[in-house]
Amino acid sequence: MLTTNPFDDDKLREECGIFGIWGAETASAVVALGLHALQHRGQEAAGITSWDGHQFHTHRAMGHVAGNFDRDDVIRSLPGKVACGHVRYSTTGETALRNVQPLFAELSSGGFSIAHNGNISNAMKLRRDLVRRGSIFQSTSDTETIIHLVATSAYRSLLDKFIDALKQVEGAYSLICMTPEGMIVCRDPLGIRPLVMGRVGDAYIFASETVALDVVGATFIRQVEPGELIIVSDKGLRSIRPFANVRPRPCVFEHVYFSRPDSIVDGSSVYSVRKAIGAQLAIESPADADLVIPVPDSGVPAAIGYAQQSGIPFELGIIRSHYVGRTFIQPGDQVRHLGVKLKHNANKALIDGRRIILIDDSIVRGTTSLKIVQMMRDAGAREVHMRIASPPTRHSCFYGVDTPERAKLLAAQMTIGQMSDYINADSLAFVSVDGMYKALGEDFRDEANPQYCDACFTGDYPTHLTDQEEVAPADQLSLLGERERASL
């Protein structure tokens, strides 16, 4: 199979999006709409679980929300006024239906459903210990570890068991859980992964991004605070904070790439922040050129900001078709090479003979940038200057972002000059770490107390990475799914 979007092949992938609602007629239909708005956060699989007051109902499927949850028979099979859903791009666990969320289990207290955005950085160690104690896992997902920790907790109430479980995990998580007693929603103490709360009528809604609230006509109330746990039941809504207070460090890449530009993250418009990053990039790394051209679609806001700050005209030099599927069968090399133009094509009449500045959000392996620069040169560009609206990605993420191992990150292996030569650009520059923080409204990055999780740029990880530091390679192999083993 050939991916027909050559510019998305080399991006960091957000692992998933979650959406939950309490107290709405046909709750599952509302969840399906919310998941449509979060489709960009995970395109491998989707699932919805509902609670009708007596029993749980689940439908999970590989592929997009559309085609799986836009059918009346599927929605009718998910009755009830309470439901939660999940879109997935796997970072732990093989690509298989057994790993599609929400995960569900029957505990001593009744049914328990969980949807997770993030990654548990000590899941392998916890899983190894649980298996030795007799736990039987049904998936290779790190999320299932939380279910087993709840099930085996010595505390009596379900809420106390849940809190006990979370106090044993490291890493990043935003969770929506459903039980017969109510819906439990929480965010990790550092707030690495996002989660917001809204309301439509008498129903409460929780989602990874505000855009999902907009789509279902809900009013944004506030973000779920880092370390906060919210319980919604027939008795109403209450909030508790069972964790020690720590300085939050939300993921900065939500602003750079992951979130939709029409979302509000941590009180800031994603679109405005990306424009501001582009403007800062123009201040830090100007270039004498004729046109500013975005790499669609994620590079557009930053390119607008760069053009406005520099005074160089903004133009669409790369045209994207929105009517091409992700893949097609490749009958031969010739078609493979032609296929990359199905989704993106150079606007040759505009580019020919011009000096251009290409704006993209990041460089990961460098393969994408190499293709883009060559596309511009083939279209007749006289000079190609590449500007990146994030600092160099030099470190892997262990908090739920699908990042290549460090040896495959171009910026970890080369200087910026070497990277420029590798992608065949006339010049290459990245926004500085402090410049990115300025675009976010900060004066600079506080080295002693960083305001965001920016480990992919700085290597400053905000939590322990137990599985990376302590688990022996043989143990890792025994716990990984088939896809992970094949990649080692």
Side-chain angles (χ1 to χ4, degrees):
M1 302 292 279
L2 168 67
T3 298
T4 56
N5 184 350
F7 302 158
D8 287 348
D9 290 348
D10 194 27
K11 297 291 186 183
L12 298 182
R13 305 281 189 174
E14 174 60 281
E15 76 298 341
C16 57
I18 57 177
F19 187 100
I21 185 167
W22 175 278
E25 298 292 341
T26 61
S28 59
V30 180
V31 172
L33 290 173
L35 293 182
H36 271 287
L38 299 174
Q39 185 72 85
H40 60 287
R41 299 184 73 90
Q43 299 178 41
E44 259 184 14
I48 296 176
T49 298
S50 70
W51 164 249
D52 64 8
H54 301 285
Q55 66 183 82
F56 290 87
H57 308 268
T58 296
H59 183 80
R60 301 181 297 163
M62 306 304 296
H64 290 190
V65 179
N68 287 314
F69 292 98
D70 55 0
R71 294 159 37 201
D72 289 341
D73 61 321
V74 172
I75 297 302
R76 284 197 300 270
S77 73
L78 299 166
K81 295 184 178 182
V82 183
C84 70
H86 185 278
V87 289
R88 180 174 192 261
Y89 182 88
S90 63
T91 56
T92 60
E94 63 190 314
T95 303
L97 189 60
R98 63 176 175 161
N99 288 327
V100 179
Q101 298 186 32
L103 298 182
F104 177 80
E106 288 284 355
L107 307 184
S108 61
S109 57
F112 184 85
S113 176
I114 182 170
H116 172 206
N117 173 206
N119 196 63
I120 306 305
S121 59
N122 64 335
M124 289 183 184
K125 181 179 186 300
L126 290 171
R127 180 175 179 136
R128 180 184 60 189
D129 294 342
L130 285 161
V131 168
R132 287 173 177 168
R133 287 158 47 192
S135 290
I136 300 172
F137 281 74
Q138 301 299 315
S139 76
T140 57
S141 169
D142 63 323
T143 308
E144 191 181 355
T145 304
I146 298 174
I147 296 177
H148 288 272
L149 290 174
V150 173
T152 58
S153 172
Y155 285 86
R156 299 192 64 177
S157 75
L158 177 61
L159 183 59
D160 286 339
K161 287 174 179 286
F162 185 64
I163 293 170
D164 179 43
L166 295 184
K167 287 185 176 180
Q168 298 177 62
V169 305
E170 300 168 358
Y173 55 84
S174 286
L175 302 172
I176 299 177
C177 304
M178 296 194 309
T179 77
E181 299 175 18
M183 179 175 281
I184 306 173
V185 177
C186 67
R187 195 173 174 202
D188 68 78
L190 290 168
I192 298 175
R193 302 261 67 87
L195 193 61
V196 298
M197 177 169 63
R199 194 162 187 177
V200 56
D202 294 328
Y204 287 101
I205 293 179
F206 302 90
S208 294
E209 293 184 36
T210 59
V211 67
L213 303 180
D214 299 337
V215 165
V216 301
T219 301
F220 171 73
I221 297 175
R222 62 177 176 85
Q223 70 172 355
V224 177
E225 296 297 326
E228 182 181 19
L229 192 151
I230 296 174
I231 304 100
V232 189
S233 68
D234 292 334
K235 298 177 182 178
L237 181 147
R238 66 187 178 107
S239 168
I240 60 175
R241 296 176 181 272
F243 309 107
N245 287 329
V246 293
R247 185 183 179 96
R249 288 187 64 181
C251 173
V252 74
F253 224 91
E254 292 286 347
H255 296 279
V256 172
Y257 176 68
F258 293 143
S259 295
R260 264 179 50 163
D262 46 344
S263 281
I264 306 296
V265 175
D266 298 319
S268 298
S269 159
V270 174
Y271 179 80
S272 297
V273 168
R274 290 178 187 170
K275 278 185 64 179
I277 291 176
Q280 185 65 32
L281 188 55
I283 293 170
E284 294 181 356
S285 302
D288 190 11
D290 304 309
L291 299 175
V292 174
I293 293 175
V295 176
D297 285 324
S298 57
V300 171
I304 293 172
Y306 193 103
Q308 291 177 348
Q309 177 65 40
S310 65
I312 301 172
F314 170 96
E315 293 286 358
L316 296 178
I318 301 171
I319 305 301
R320 177 185 176 187
S321 169
H322 294 267
Y323 305 101
V324 179
R326 277 188 68 81
T327 59
F328 72 96
I329 302 298
Q330 47 173 322
D333 288 344
Q334 183 178 4
V335 174
R336 180 192 299 115
H337 294 309
L338 292 174
V340 297
K341 294 186 177 181
L342 284 176
K343 201 155 193 174
H344 292 87
N345 193 39
N347 190 350
K348 187 172 182 179
L350 182 75
I351 294 168
D352 194 18
R354 303 293 186 89
R355 301 167 301 167
I356 64 171
I357 301 173
L358 283 172
I359 308 292
D360 203 357
D361 57 83
S362 60
I363 291 180
V364 184
R365 296 178 181 87
T367 54
T368 292
S369 301
L370 184 63
K371 293 176 184 177
I372 299 168
V373 172
Q374 189 58 49
M375 180 183 288
M376 297 297 97
R377 294 202 183 281
D378 290 344
R382 187 151 51 97
E383 294 178 12
V384 181
H385 302 274
M386 196 89 179
R387 296 293 180 266
I388 306 299
S390 66
T393 303
R394 294 193 170 103
H395 305 271
S396 298
C397 175
F398 301 104
Y399 302 120
V401 178
D402 185 40
T403 316
E405 60 189 51
R406 193 157 187 249
K408 294 181 180 179
L409 294 172
L410 197 67
Q413 308 303 316
M414 297 183 181
T415 66
I416 292 177
Q418 290 170 332
M419 293 173 70
S420 181
D421 292 340
Y422 175 79
I423 65 173
N424 195 28
D426 291 281
S427 71
L428 170 68
F430 296 76
V431 73
S432 67
V433 172
D434 282 343
M436 179 179 64
Y437 272 77
K438 287 178 183 177
L440 286 158
E442 307 286 349
D443 292 331
F444 52 86
R445 182 184 190 270
D446 185 341
E447 295 289 341
N449 294 289
Q451 303 93 317
Y452 291 89
C453 177
D454 52 20
C456 54
F457 307 130
T458 65
D460 182 5
Y461 295 97
T463 73
H464 292 296
L465 300 175
T466 298
D467 288 342
Q468 299 299 315
E469 299 164 355
E470 298 181 9
V471 179
D475 290 329
Q476 290 188 36
L477 284 171
S478 68
L479 297 175
L480 290 174
E482 293 176 2
R483 187 164 88 170
E484 283 75 9
R485 286 199 295 269
S487 68
L488 292 179

